[in-house]
Amino acid sequence: MPEAMVAARESNVANGTAQQVDVAVVGAGFAGLYLLHRLRKAGLTAVGLEEAGDVGGTWYWNRYPGARCDIQTIDYSYTFDPELETAWTWSEKYATQPEILRYLGFVADRYDLRRDIRFKTKVTEARWDEATARWQLTTSNGAPVSARHYIMATGCLSAPKPPEIDGVKDFKGEVYFTGRWPHDGVNLAGKRVAVIGTGSSAIQSIPLIAEQAAHLTVFQRTPNFALPAHNGPAPSDRMSLLQGDRTAYREQARQSMAGVPYPQQTVVSWQLSDAERRERFERAWAAGDLVHILTQLWADQAVDVDGNKIVQDLIREKIRAAVSDPETAAALMPDDHPFGAKRPCLETNYYATFNRPNVTLVNLRQEPIKAITAGGITTARRNIDVDVIVFATGFDAMTGAIRAVHPITGRGGKSLTDVWAQGPQSYLGLTVEGFPNFFMITGPGSPSVLSNMAVSIEQHVDWVVDRLAALRDAGFTAIEPTETAQAGWNRHMADCSMVTLHRLANTWYTGANVPGKVQGLMPYTGGVGPYRSICDEVVSRGMLGFKLTGPDGAAQCNDGEVVKLQPDVRLVLNLLASLNLPPIESMGAIGARAFVEEFNKGRPAGRPIGDIVDGTLPGPDGPLPYRVYKPSTSGPHPVVVYFHGGGWVLGDEQSDEPFCRDMVRRTGMMFVSVGYRHAPEHRFPAAAEDGYAAARWIAEHATELGGKPGPVLVAGWSAGGNIAAVTCQLARDRGGPDIAGQLLVCPVTDCTFDRPSYNDNATGYFLTRSLMYWFWDLYCSPADRTDPRVSPLRGKVAGLPPAYVVTCEFDPLRDEGIAYAEAMAAAGVPVEQLRARGHFHSSFAMVDVIITGAPGRVQMAQALRRFAGLPPEVSRDDEHSHVSPGHRIAAAAS
Ligand code: NAP
């Protein structure tokens, strides 16, 4: 640092004149250091304000015994400078806290970053000044700061949680917090030590504390899943991947879901045998890698309670084997949350430590702590005398790091604490409406703690610094998200949270660990790669959702929501777009059928049900194939006649198998899927007449098929929805069969293409307008198209069976489905509608791919059960004779 600059800064500090900078950064950990480096390179002046006496952030404070990272260190490193990557070599697979701290010091020295950091300086207040469009900061130590931009690089776990236990002040012994461990170490030799908490910090420190202490008592409220770290040298397979192609390795990490380069699993648990699952699990267990075991077992482990429960059971088996005393082992086995929904831990000798004679576990679920006394800890059952209490009780996570640190006042005197009173609101987890030029690195609303922080930090820092430089270059002085954009992001966050199982656990991810804190999932669960692409999309769409303002009234605002699709729909559509497939309508009918068949081979087949039986039934012009899907419970069951989708051209009685299986499981009914004739070989009205004839025959032969005699139900998706609707009209007009209800999923109901949904969703959502033109042309001559047997909306709709009509927001067929539902309702038919926000035409048929379609199918199943006179509640007991904890979690989920 030039002498003159040092002198100027010191004199500012001394005389109280505000230090003028482009950017003020709070924190000098991983994020703050990289920010200072990037800001400097972008030609922006910056000051880092750091409460600690040196760089390091979380690694400065968390010096408890055993503190290490638990993402492999080769992944938990900066990647912005290839020379830095080769200049530093980690000594272990999981580096210790001192080594990580040395690394951060090395980085600070290498880029000469300390010269821009004011250590031992807390920001005591931050206020946006409208007149100057700058942030005015007061500090605990030295000059105030005036900055154009204010960036919180405060980390997610930097505000330790108070103990919330009565009597802490009365305790006469030593008290330590893992998150604020003394720098000169603690001597625990010969002492009676209590550790309160069994999260990551406790699980890392307990084995080492037990080695020193005369006696260790561990106070556990909630057992946590912990996996062996198998620490040692960095594994050779990962090292050779990295060294083989460093650029590709790092890029794969950036595009991955968790920020570590592992592929997406596609095989779901029920496609694997017990032996195959165990083999995968043992491999993961031996790998000693959190991200590996969290992502590489099977595709449904993190999104489905059944797929998750298999992992839980396998881990519980390991705990049982590791701990000698069965009662202690049982107490250490987590049973109240899905694996991964609460942050699991890596351990070294953790479970084995409970076999030591000097270690006792106190299960607070059975004997809660009543108070801390002068001499120890009193539970509901006993007094335990101790000399030392170690609080490993965690943090006021994510929001605590920002909100609790100091008052932050934005535009119009709005305080961030008030704005976040009901939980954190943000756009992209980066910015907050009403707080111009305010940024958070890995803030709530971004992948942050659900990712490799090193990767997420670099992505955020790059994005923010690039924006600040672009803002400056365009002559703007302020940037702020719009209300619309922020509300849209919060909706997207909520949509994402429905995909994974995180919402099913009480954790610091949801704020549940802090009494009185508003609860809601704070990190973004949509994945690192998808998140990065969304941030990039905001830029490529002209800073979508941001207001930019500058001198002399200069302003730009491209308002809108960046993601309106459900997160998994977005992923599927992006994947399809990346395949650059030719339009289906260009393949010809034969080619298109072959394509669909091939495409369907790659999807999960659907979960096991009872019997599946094939047969043929007499159609109007020859036999028609059918496939019966039966529940696993004993029948007879009500019968649903099902018509597959495919534009009257594609598909067959097996092509909607995952949907049929799923609905059989959810309804407890029997589905008979009909193979009606297809165009262009058999044009209108072949499909309609086949559908009607099949429904009639199935109703007449319900008993032979194993179903319940009496009224049938009809259901169909897409063109199959059209056939189902037409079947109901024909049944009414031709004297039966008796139909108790109809489920129409994204049905074709009319022959016009001028409703708004045809224009809004003409391309980009798989079912295109031009594909629909093609289907219509192959099936039906223009002269026939107003016939109600293909355009049921043109027919009489009174007197039809009760209907449940499903439409999807991003589907060309949306508005005709709604029109049909409204026409039936106007004619007195009992109608319920599900208008599925953020979904596309195939959402509900893509079972186990579009996870966000599951709640919709629950509602469809409930409707069918109502139509059949069954209680609407779909009990999983219909499929399983006992209720396991996993299923209780599932019931809570739905
Ligand atoms: P934590 O995971 O929140 O664990 C806190 C523990 O204290 C929990 O077992 C909690 O029980 C218990 N507890 C809290 N208040 C209590 C009270 N009043 N009475 C009794 N028990 C109480 O905190 P942490 O272990 O410090 O870890 C926080 C996060 O930091 C981790 O999840 C991880 O992301 C990160 N971390 C990472 C590493 C690493 O990379 N190696 C190491 C340490 C921490 P309940 O579960 O019942 O609330």
Side-chain angles (χ1 to χ4, degrees):
M1 183 177 193
E3 292 301 307
M5 283 174 69
V6 176
R9 198 179 81 185
E10 280 172 359
S11 98
N12 277 344
V13 169
N15 67 19
T17 313
Q19 182 181 0
Q20 302 285 332
V21 285
D22 293 325
V23 186
V25 173
V26 187
F30 258 97
L33 292 180
Y34 182 44
L35 255 174
L36 291 175
H37 172 66
R38 278 288 335 257
L39 289 165
R40 199 185 283 168
K41 286 192 86 155
L44 292 153
T45 57
V47 63
L49 301 161
E50 169 58 63
E51 185 182 350
D54 198 355
V55 299
T58 195
W59 299 106
Y60 176 91
W61 298 107
N62 286 273
R63 295 168 186 246
Y64 57 84
R68 292 175 186 272
C69 61
D70 56 12
I71 295 280
Q72 291 198 25
T73 334
I74 56 166
D75 298 307
Y76 187 68
S77 310
Y78 291 117
T79 67
F80 64 86
D81 180 352
E83 285 179 17
L84 169 63
E85 288 210 47
T86 46
W88 181 271
T89 306
W90 293 105
S91 67
E92 285 182 288
K93 178 179 167 187
Y94 298 109
T96 57
Q97 172 272 333
E99 186 174 6
I100 300 172
L101 194 59
R102 273 200 307 282
Y103 171 71
L104 292 170
F106 171 77
V107 170
D109 289 342
R110 186 178 175 92
Y111 302 98
D112 188 17
L113 300 174
R114 285 195 178 86
R115 72 173 150 103
D116 285 335
I117 304 170
R118 284 167 51 180
F119 292 108
K120 298 198 171 162
T121 305
K122 270 176 83 164
V123 179
T124 47
E125 195 186 351
R127 178 175 290 278
W128 172 251
D129 178 25
E130 198 80 50
T132 57
R134 294 181 74 83
W135 282 93
Q136 308 297 346
L137 315 180
T138 53
T139 68
S140 64
N141 179 13
V145 176
S146 167
R148 174 73 69 212
H149 301 282
Y150 186 40
I151 307 183
M152 305 299 282
T154 34
C156 298
L157 296 154
S158 45
K161 194 175 76 95
E164 305 133 6
I165 300 173
D166 289 343
V168 181
K169 284 202 179 71
D170 303 333
F171 183 59
K172 297 278 185 262
E174 300 161 55
V175 171
Y176 301 104
F177 286 80
T178 50
R180 289 285 180 272
W181 200 257
H183 285 199
D184 35 11
V186 177
N187 181 6
L188 299 172
K191 295 182 181 157
R192 296 164 302 171
V193 181
V195 171
I196 302 182
T198 48
S200 300
S201 304
I203 285 174
Q204 286 187 330
S205 56
I206 281 169
L208 295 173
I209 293 175
E211 283 175 13
Q212 290 181 42
H215 193 90
L216 168 65
T217 311
V218 176
F219 292 81
Q220 170 190 272
R221 193 162 63 184
T222 312
N224 216 338
F225 289 103
L227 322 148
H230 300 307
N231 202 13
S236 55
D237 56 336
R238 303 304 296 170
M239 276 309 277
S240 52
L241 275 179
L242 173 68
Q243 286 163 350
D245 188 343
R246 196 174 282 273
T247 312
Y249 184 93
R250 296 301 188 207
E251 190 50 30
Q252 200 192 336
R254 293 181 188 120
Q255 301 306 333
S256 67
M257 292 304 273
V260 177
Y262 281 116
Q264 244 346 55
Q265 282 303 307
T266 50
V267 178
V268 287
S269 57
W270 71 87
Q271 291 174 307
L272 298 164
S273 66
D274 279 352
E276 287 166 328
R277 285 195 294 256
R278 182 169 288 275
E279 196 271 324
R280 283 179 177 228
F281 174 76
E282 292 295 347
R283 209 170 342 121
W285 194 257
D289 183 320
L290 216 43
V291 181
H292 182 119
I293 202 166
L294 281 166
T295 61
Q296 299 298 299
L297 296 176
W298 33 87
D300 52 329
Q301 66 179 94
V303 296
D304 179 81
V305 284
D306 294 328
N308 189 277
K309 188 175 171 298
I310 300 167
V311 195
Q312 293 175 39
D313 288 343
L314 289 165
I315 300 178
R316 284 190 279 261
E317 233 180 66
K318 294 284 188 191
I319 300 172
R320 196 175 296 119
V323 180
S324 317
D325 172 43
E327 201 186 324
T328 308
L332 286 166
M333 285 182 212
D335 67 353
D336 72 338
H337 61 273
F339 171 65
K342 187 176 183 128
R343 171 71 145 73
C345 315
L346 281 186
E347 56 92 13
T348 302
N349 292 331
Y350 175 65
Y351 291 115
T353 294
F354 291 94
N355 298 333
R356 293 176 64 106
N358 70 331
V359 176
T360 314
L361 180 71
V362 174
N363 182 349
L364 299 181
R365 295 276 181 229
Q366 289 172 355
E367 46 176 318
I369 295 177
K370 292 184 87 173
I372 291 175
T373 60
I377 297 174
T378 305
T379 71
R381 288 188 187 162
R382 52 188 152 152
N383 296 319
I384 298 163
D385 292 336
V386 293
D387 308 308
V388 179
I389 301 178
V390 174
F391 287 99
T393 40
F395 299 86
D396 181 357
M398 307 204 74
T399 48
I402 295 171
R403 208 170 80 137
V405 178
H406 57 262
I408 299 176
T409 310
R411 202 162 35 77
K414 265 197 244 178
S415 105
L416 189 65
T417 303
D418 290 347
V419 169
W420 282 6
Q422 296 309 312
Q425 311 287 311
S426 80
Y427 183 35
L428 305 169
L430 273 163
T431 58
V432 184
E433 194 265 332
F435 294 78
N437 295 2
F438 173 75
F439 297 91
M440 300 171 291
I441 304 301
T442 63
S446 75
S448 57
V449 292
L450 293 180
S451 70
N452 174 358
M453 288 295 273
V455 167
S456 287
I457 283 170
E458 285 193 338
Q459 186 259 334
H460 262 188
V461 169
D462 289 339
W463 193 93
V464 170
V465 177
D466 289 346
R467 303 289 65 72
L468 297 192
L471 198 74
R472 173 197 60 196
D473 297 346
F476 292 113
T477 48
I479 176 169
E480 183 189 340
T482 67
E483 263 181 64
T484 311
Q486 183 161 295
W489 188 251
N490 288 333
R491 221 172 357 260
H492 177 57
M493 283 280 294
D495 289 343
C496 288
S497 75
M498 295 310 290
V499 179
T500 69
L501 304 177
H502 289 101
R503 69 188 186 286
L504 303 183
N506 292 326
T507 66
W508 60 259
Y509 293 147
T510 63
N513 67 326
V514 176
K517 186 166 174 172
V518 173
Q519 293 199 29
L521 194 58
M522 293 184 285
Y524 177 76
T525 51
V528 165
Y531 174 80
R532 175 183 295 269
S533 80
I534 292 168
C535 291
D536 292 346
E537 188 180 331
V538 165
V539 179
S540 67
R541 291 171 69 186
M543 292 307 288
L544 183 69
F546 281 104
K547 265 184 301 210
L548 313 182
T549 49
D552 306 324
Q556 172 195 310
C557 181
N558 183 15
D559 202 0
E561 289 169 56
V562 62
V563 186
K564 288 184 167 178
L565 292 168
Q566 291 293 330
D568 40 7
V569 171
R570 182 177 181 275
L571 286 182
V572 165
L573 289 174
N574 283 349
L575 179 71
L576 288 170
S578 73
L579 297 176
N580 261 327
L581 298 168
I584 291 175
E585 59 273 29
S586 71
M587 298 176 184
I590 308 289
R593 284 175 195 151
F595 166 78
V596 169
E597 205 174 303
E598 207 46 43
F599 187 78
N600 283 349
K601 280 186 195 155
R603 69 184 177 178
R607 294 174 201 224
I609 53 170
D611 280 351
I612 295 181
V613 182
D614 292 328
T616 53
L617 58 85
D621 198 22
L624 300 174
Y626 66 78
R627 175 166 273 201
V628 182
Y629 299 94
K630 293 185 183 172
S632 56
T633 49
S634 52
H637 307 97
V639 177
V640 180
V641 181
Y642 179 77
F643 302 107
H644 66 84
W648 306 287
V649 176
L650 312 172
D652 56 32
E653 73 283 0
Q654 302 176 25
S655 57
D656 288 353
E657 178 138 344
F659 181 76
C660 289
R661 285 179 182 233
D662 189 71
M663 292 303 287
V664 166
R665 285 171 62 95
R666 292 181 190 282
T667 57
M669 297 181 187
M670 189 174 106
F671 270 55
V672 186
S673 175
V674 177
Y676 53 87
R677 284 172 296 165
H678 288 152
E681 295 85 346
H682 305 282
R683 286 166 61 81
F684 173 80
E689 292 297 345
D690 284 1
Y692 170 67
R696 182 159 206 139
W697 185 89
I698 291 165
E700 283 163 3
H701 295 82
T703 312
E704 285 159 52
L705 290 168
K708 199 168 156 186
V712 292
L713 298 103
V714 297
W717 166 57
S718 192
N722 171 268
I723 296 170
V726 169
T727 295
C728 290
Q729 293 195 5
L730 296 179
R732 175 199 57 200
D733 300 340
R734 294 181 184 176
D738 237 357
I739 297 178
Q742 48 179 328
L743 168 65
L744 310 179
V745 185
C746 307
V748 181
T749 71
D750 195 22
C751 55
T752 61
F753 308 109
D754 53 7
R755 291 187 172 84
S757 57
Y758 254 100
N759 287 324
D760 298 347
N761 309 309
T763 58
Y765 301 105
F766 200 55
L767 178 65
T768 61
R769 178 166 53 191
S770 107
L771 181 55
M772 279 309 298
Y773 287 165
W774 184 67
F775 285 144
W776 272 99
D777 286 345
L778 291 191
Y779 181 51
C780 193
S781 311
D784 291 329
R785 290 188 184 179
T786 54
D787 190 312
R789 285 175 300 167
V790 69
S791 291
L793 186 58
R794 312 254 165 170
K796 181 181 146 198
V797 293
L800 290 172
Y804 194 82
V805 182
V806 180
T807 51
C808 291
E809 186 179 3
F810 296 99
D811 180 1
L813 306 184
R814 177 193 69 206
D815 293 344
E816 65 194 73
I818 293 172
Y820 193 59
E822 287 176 350
M824 286 191 288
V829 177
V831 178
E832 289 167 80
Q833 285 193 57
L834 168 62
R835 297 186 187 185
R837 181 178 58 76
H839 282 286
F840 79 134
H841 187 71
S842 303
S843 278
F844 294 110
M846 295 184 86
V847 179
D848 297 310
V849 175
I850 304 295
I851 312 288
T852 53
R857 286 193 304 276
V858 168
Q859 291 177 48
M860 294 177 211
Q862 289 175 341
L864 286 176
R865 286 174 66 91
R866 273 198 300 282
F867 296 154
L870 298 171
E873 215 33 65
V874 183
S875 159
R876 290 177 69 103
D877 301 355
D878 287 357
E879 290 287 328
H880 302 273
S881 53
H882 67 283
V883 183
S884 66
H887 296 145
R888 277 197 294 272
I889 296 173
S894 59

